[in-house]
């Protein structure tokens, strides 16, 4: 029985070499990018200039002309799960939405155009020569870490005034702009185009972003440097502040370093869409790593519930199951700890935020470093609690909308 269907390849495809044995297919109309191996590439190149009305014809061409052993089910899976959803094949009933690389931002407001960012990014691009990049990053870490661990240095922050605390915090937050400029500069270094820099909201948190979508065309080691480039720029800022501290013993300089290092550590988290996530994703060559990890856990549970047996096919299956399990473990342990440890901080979070900024902005005399530290402890954990809850609800709503559409 023939599987009647209309199958037509997109007329706007671009193919280029990617990594060893892999190729990048770019469907320009929807701005979709898919990494395929040599076998899939041969299939696409053979079939792309014709239209087909059934799967059997495609299977016959693949088996007889290309000499590739593929069953009807394998061909359908390739088309429905990889080629059609990414616009490479046009099929009735398969919707392909135009890619928005910044779709995780609920609100976006451009601040600096790509042209303006380009006028500055050339200044820093040579910082990302691979050998210099890694050696200098290690050297900066070796210089910075002792500054924030020696007790006598930490004492210098305890005498800071409210104004000094506010200024150091403001300067540290402003340094995020240099973080995003680092991503753009590294893109330029390796020949990829970068967009502008803007302000957006990642769930409930305001963030700066740099559009570096074109990083997909780069090699793995180059993409990893682009992902780490923002953190590198923060290390550079910390190093400059450290030099100032060594001459002045200014608590402001040390607080500036602490805030940047906190941001540095947070960005290394591989379980949310921070720099650490993209580094891990590129290192293991798995796109949409978090989503695939959760899917692997779901499939594992479903298979066990049906026949008490799980049948992984590759090492990637094991990795995705482990990553997805750790992601869920990290998420639920954190939520459970917050609720159990201090439920009042969750309930009073909006009011505590109000009190914090009210005191900070009006420079009350009783504000000092100890007060800042105690208030931060009250606000940071509840913030991430609401951040995670909101993220989970948002993804669920989007999933329901996609199913209905």
């Amino acid at each position: 029985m023939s599987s009647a269907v209309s199958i037509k390849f997109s007329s706007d495809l671009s193919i280029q070499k990617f990594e060893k044995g892999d190729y990048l297919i770019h469907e320009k109309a929807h701005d979709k990018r898919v990494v395929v191996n040599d076998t899939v590439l041969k299939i696409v190149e053979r079939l792309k200039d014709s239209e087909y009305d059934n799967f059997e014809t495609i299977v016959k061409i693949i088996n007889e002309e290309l000499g590739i052993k593929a069953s009807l089910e394998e061909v359908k899976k390739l088309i429905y799960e990889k080629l059609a959803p990414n616009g490479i094949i046009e099929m009735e009933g398969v919707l392909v939405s135009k890619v928005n690389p910044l779709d995780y931002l609920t609100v976006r407001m451009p601040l600096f155009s790509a042209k303006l960012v380009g006028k500055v990014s050339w200044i820093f691009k040579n910082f990302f020569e691979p050998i210099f990049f890694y050696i200098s990053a290690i050297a900066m870490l070796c210089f910075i870490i002792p500054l924030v661990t020696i007790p006598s240095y930490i004492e210098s922050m305890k005498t800071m005034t409210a104004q000094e605390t506010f200024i150091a915090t403001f300067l540290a937050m402003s340094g995020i702009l240099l973080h995003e400029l680092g991503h753009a500069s590294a893109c330029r270094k390796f020949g990829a185009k970068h967009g502008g820099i803007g302000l957006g909201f990642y769930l409930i948190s305001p963030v700066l972003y740099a559009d570096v979508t074109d990083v997909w065309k780069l090699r793995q080691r180059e993409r990893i440097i682009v992902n780490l480039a923002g953190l590198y720029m923060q290390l550079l800022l910390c190093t400059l502040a450290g030099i100032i501290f060594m001459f002045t013993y200014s608590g402001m300089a040390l607080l500036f370093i602490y805030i940047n290092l906190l941001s540095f550590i947070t960005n290394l988290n591989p379980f949310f869409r921070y720099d650490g996530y993209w580094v891990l994703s590129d290192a293991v060559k798995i796109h949409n790593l978090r989503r695939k990890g959760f899917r692997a856990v779901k499939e594992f549970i479903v298979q066990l519930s049906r026949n008490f047996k799980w049948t992984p096919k590759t090492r990637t299956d094991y990795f995705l199951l482990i990553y997805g399990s750790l992601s869920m473990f990290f998420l639920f342990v954190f939520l459970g700890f917050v609720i159990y440890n201090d439920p009042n901080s969750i309930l009073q979070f909006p009011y505590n935020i109000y009190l914090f900024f009210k005191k900070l902005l009006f420079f009350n005399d009783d504000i000092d470093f100890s007060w800042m530290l105690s208030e931060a402890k009250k606000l940071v954990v509840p913030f991430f609690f609401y951040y995670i809850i909101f993220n989970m609800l948002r993804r669920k709503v989007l999933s329901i909308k996609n199913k209905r559409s």
Side-chain angles (χ1 to χ4, degrees), residues 126-188:
N126 289 326
F127 285 25
F128 304 103
E129 187 68 37
I131 295 178
F132 175 80
F133 172 81
Y134 287 111
I135 292 177
S136 59
I138 293 172
M140 287 190 289
L141 279 171
C142 291
F143 171 68
I144 295 166
I145 291 175
L147 296 180
V148 295
T149 55
I150 296 176
S152 60
Y153 290 169
I154 298 173
E155 291 292 321
S156 64
M157 292 192 296
K158 295 184 177 180
T159 58
M160 291 173 59
T161 65
Q163 289 88 343
E164 289 174 334
T165 301
F166 180 80
I167 292 171
T169 303
F170 176 78
L171 290 175
M173 298 303 293
S174 300
I176 297 174
L177 176 61
L178 199 61
H179 176 111
E180 300 304 330
L181 185 60
H183 292 306
S185 301
C187 260
R188 182 166 183 170

Side-chain angles (χ1 to χ4, degrees), residues 216 273 277-278 281 286-293 320:
W216 261 100
R273 297 183 75 167
Y277 170 81
W278 301 114
S281 178
I286 300 177
H287 185 47
N288 290 327
L289 175 59
R290 193 160 185 262
R291 178 168 59 84
K292 290 179 179 177
L320 287 174

Side-chain angles (χ1 to χ4, degrees), residues 1 56 65-66 72 85 98 111 119 121 164 180 188 193 206 225 237 239 245 301 307 318 320 325 331 341 352 360 388:
M1 185 176 179
E56 285 76 6
E65 294 187 24
L66 299 178
L72 178 61
K98 188 174 178 63
L111 296 178
K119 290 181 177 179
S121 62
E164 289 174 334
E180 300 304 330
R188 182 166 183 170
K193 294 180 181 178
I225 290 179
L237 285 174
T239 300
F245 175 78
I301 295 172
N307 51 21
Y318 287 102
L320 287 174
S325 300
L331 176 64
N341 189 58
N352 288 337
L360 189 64
I388 292 171

Side-chain angles (χ1 to χ4, degrees), residues 43-108:
I43 294 173
V44 172
E45 289 186 326
R46 170 60 184 83
L47 300 175
K48 67 184 179 67
D49 295 324
S50 303
E51 294 184 33
Y52 307 89
D53 58 9
N54 63 81
F55 288 106
E56 285 76 6
T57 300
I58 294 176
V59 174
K60 185 176 180 180
I61 292 173
I62 292 174
N63 286 325
E64 296 181 3
E65 294 187 24
L66 299 178
I68 300 171
K69 292 182 180 181
S71 66
L72 178 61
E73 290 304 315
E74 288 173 331
V75 171
K76 284 184 177 181
K77 184 176 181 180
L78 172 65
I79 292 175
Y80 278 116
E81 294 186 7
K82 192 159 192 173
L83 301 183
N86 289 295
I88 296 172
I89 286 180
E90 299 171 3
M91 295 182 65
E92 184 178 351
V94 179
L95 299 177
V96 183
S97 59
K98 188 174 178 63
V99 167
N100 181 358
L102 304 172
D103 62 353
Y104 62 96
L105 300 177
T106 54
V107 179
R108 296 182 299 276

Side-chain angles (χ1 to χ4, degrees), residues 213-258:
T213 312
D214 206 38
V215 72
W216 261 100
K217 67 188 285 185
L218 302 179
R219 291 176 294 176
Q220 178 192 39
R221 61 185 182 184
E222 294 170 342
R223 295 197 307 274
I224 289 176
I225 290 179
V226 172
N227 296 332
L228 292 172
L231 298 177
Y232 179 89
M233 297 303 281
Q234 286 186 274
L235 287 181
L236 184 61
L237 285 174
C238 288
T239 300
L240 294 175
I243 294 172
I244 293 173
F245 175 78
M246 294 303 293
F247 284 97
T248 64
Y249 285 88
S250 167
M252 290 177 58
L254 199 58
L255 179 59
F256 178 90
I257 295 173
Y258 265 99

Side-chain angles (χ1 to χ4, degrees), residues 351-364:
Y351 183 64
N352 288 337
I353 283 283
Y354 164 75
L355 291 180
F356 176 78
F357 281 101
K358 181 181 178 181
K359 273 196 170 186
L360 189 64
L361 293 176
F362 286 96
F363 302 120
N364 289 23

